[in-house]
């Protein structure tokens, strides 16, 4: 098989637990780049946070950000999807406001929050980007005037709180939204039908390649649609059980340079 696109989740996949790319993985990906195979970073992260990883790799990458709802090829947006206008306000008012939990709101390159807590502060420190404090009513009015909307929402809280909120939201059957956990403490909310799998299809259409010419790596629930679509699906050694069961190959963990190990097997062995 001649592969023509490598798709990588970031947290728990490309990045180790210290939020760095292991040196053997950097070397493998540079080798992939020199072979002329595009590399796509497919992540729940916003563009500014994704660009930090691209800079660490020193390789130009396609950046499928905000859970694949905002894709940058160079500086050009080649794919975007928005949540319904009322979604952010309803999520905040019905599920978060009473408990004082901030809502994270992502629109293109922008990151808004309804308040600041330890999770917001931690993320801001990691990506060196400070979010803008926003009033949802004002944002909703602005989106209506512009004919746009948020690409993604995120709730960050203790794992048991996230479980409770996710159950309540599922029971409420919110219109026009899907959701998935990208980590124990993160619940991501995105437009109905918008998945990393859809993002993979959009990139293939742009690059004029087939889905069976792709390899995808992941570790969490949010990565499942992408691995199902990819020609070759690879689960990290630290991945959730469901992902390992559907994958074509289970590699080593993110802390053990699992991407490099799998690329040795699929690309460099031949």
């Amino acid at each position: 098989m001649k592969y023509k696109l490598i798709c990588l989740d970031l947290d728990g996949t490309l990045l180790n637990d210290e939020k760095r790319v292991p040196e053997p993985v950097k070397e493998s990906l540079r080798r992939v780049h020199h072979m002329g195979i595009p590399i796509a970073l497919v992540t729940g992260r916003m563009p500014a946070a994704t660009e930090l990883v691209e800079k660490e790799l020193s390789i130009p990458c396609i950046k499928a950000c905000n859970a694949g709802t905002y894709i940058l090829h160079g500086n050009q947006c080649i794919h975007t999807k928005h949540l319904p206008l009322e979604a952010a306000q309803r999520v905040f008012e019905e599920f978060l406001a009473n408990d004082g939990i901030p809502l994270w709101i992502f629109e293109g390159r922008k990151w808004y929050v309804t308040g600041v807590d330890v999770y917001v502060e931690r993320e801001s420190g990691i990506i060196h980007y400070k979010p803008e404090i926003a009033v949802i009513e004002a944002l909703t009015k602005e989106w209506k005037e512009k004919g746009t909307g948020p690409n993604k929402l995120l709730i960050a809280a203790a794992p048991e709180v996230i479980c409770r909120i996710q159950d309540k939201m599922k029971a409420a059957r919110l219109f026009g939204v899907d959701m998935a956990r990208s980590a124990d403490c993160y619940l991501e909310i995105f437009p109905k039908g918008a998945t990393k799998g859809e993002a993979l299809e959009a990139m293939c259409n742009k690059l004029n390649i087939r889905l069976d010419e792709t390899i995808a790596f992941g570790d969490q629930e949010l990565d499942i649609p992408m691995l199902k679509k990819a020609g070759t699906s690879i689960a990290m050694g630290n991945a959730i059980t469901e992902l390992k069961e559907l994958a074509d190959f289970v590699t080593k963990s993110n802390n053990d340079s699992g991407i490099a190990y799998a690329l040795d097997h699929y690309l460099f062995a031949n």
Side-chain angles (χ1 to χ4, degrees), residues 177-232:
V177 308
D178 281 331
M179 69 191 80
R181 296 174 72 169
S182 56
D184 288 345
C185 59
Y186 291 145
L187 177 63
E188 310 215 10
I189 302 154
F190 34 86
K192 188 75 175 178
T195 67
K196 287 188 176 185
E198 183 188 61
L200 175 55
E201 287 186 299
M203 290 185 287
C204 285
N205 290 336
K206 180 68 176 180
L207 298 172
N208 194 29
I209 64 176
R210 303 192 310 268
L211 285 169
D212 64 4
E213 297 173 318
T214 66
I215 303 178
F217 291 78
D219 73 307
Q220 286 288 339
E221 180 185 0
L222 202 62
D223 302 315
I224 289 173
M226 178 172 70
L227 267 67
K228 285 183 174 179
K229 290 280 186 182
T232 299

Side-chain angles (χ1 to χ4, degrees), residues 106-154:
F106 298 91
E107 178 198 356
R109 289 184 170 274
K110 298 177 181 177
W111 176 25
Y112 302 99
V113 294
T114 57
V116 176
D117 63 3
V118 293
Y119 293 96
V120 172
E121 290 177 343
R122 183 178 66 183
E123 181 69 11
S124 182
I126 291 171
I127 68 173
H128 308 294
Y129 186 100
K130 190 173 182 179
E132 181 179 338
I133 307 297
V135 177
I136 288 186
E137 291 84 351
L139 278 180
T140 302
K141 181 180 179 181
E142 180 181 328
W143 293 329
K144 188 173 183 179
E145 292 172 352
K146 291 181 178 179
T148 184
N151 298 111
K152 188 189 79 167
L153 309 174
L154 186 144

Side-chain angles (χ1 to χ4, degrees), residues 19-39:
K19 302 300 181 184
R20 302 301 300 270
V21 182
E23 285 301 323
V25 175
K26 289 182 185 179
E27 293 172 9
S28 288
L29 293 177
R30 286 168 188 156
R31 190 173 174 186
V32 168
H33 174 65
H34 290 311
M35 292 169 68
I37 303 173
I39 297 167

Side-chain angles (χ1 to χ4, degrees), residues 34-134:
H34 290 311
M35 292 169 68
I37 303 173
I39 297 167
L41 307 180
V42 189
T43 175
R45 290 189 175 205
M46 64 179 293
T50 308
E51 287 164 353
L52 286 177
V53 179
E54 181 185 42
K55 184 177 180 180
E56 184 178 355
L57 290 173
S58 299
I59 298 170
C61 299
I62 300 169
K63 296 172 286 291
C65 309
N66 298 340
T69 59
Y70 186 74
I71 304 178
L72 292 168
H73 191 202
N75 291 320
Q76 179 187 4
C77 177
I78 62 170
H79 176 78
T80 186
K81 289 193 76 170
H82 302 124
L83 284 154
L85 281 176
E86 71 281 357
Q89 189 163 348
R90 184 176 177 191
V91 168
F92 178 68
E93 291 178 352
E94 292 188 20
F95 305 102
L96 306 180
N98 288 342
D99 294 320
I101 300 172
L103 178 65
W104 302 16
I105 304 162
F106 298 91
E107 178 198 356
R109 289 184 170 274
K110 298 177 181 177
W111 176 25
Y112 302 99
V113 294
T114 57
V116 176
D117 63 3
V118 293
Y119 293 96
V120 172
E121 290 177 343
R122 183 178 66 183
E123 181 69 11
S124 182
I126 291 171
I127 68 173
H128 308 294
Y129 186 100
K130 190 173 182 179
E132 181 179 338
I133 307 297

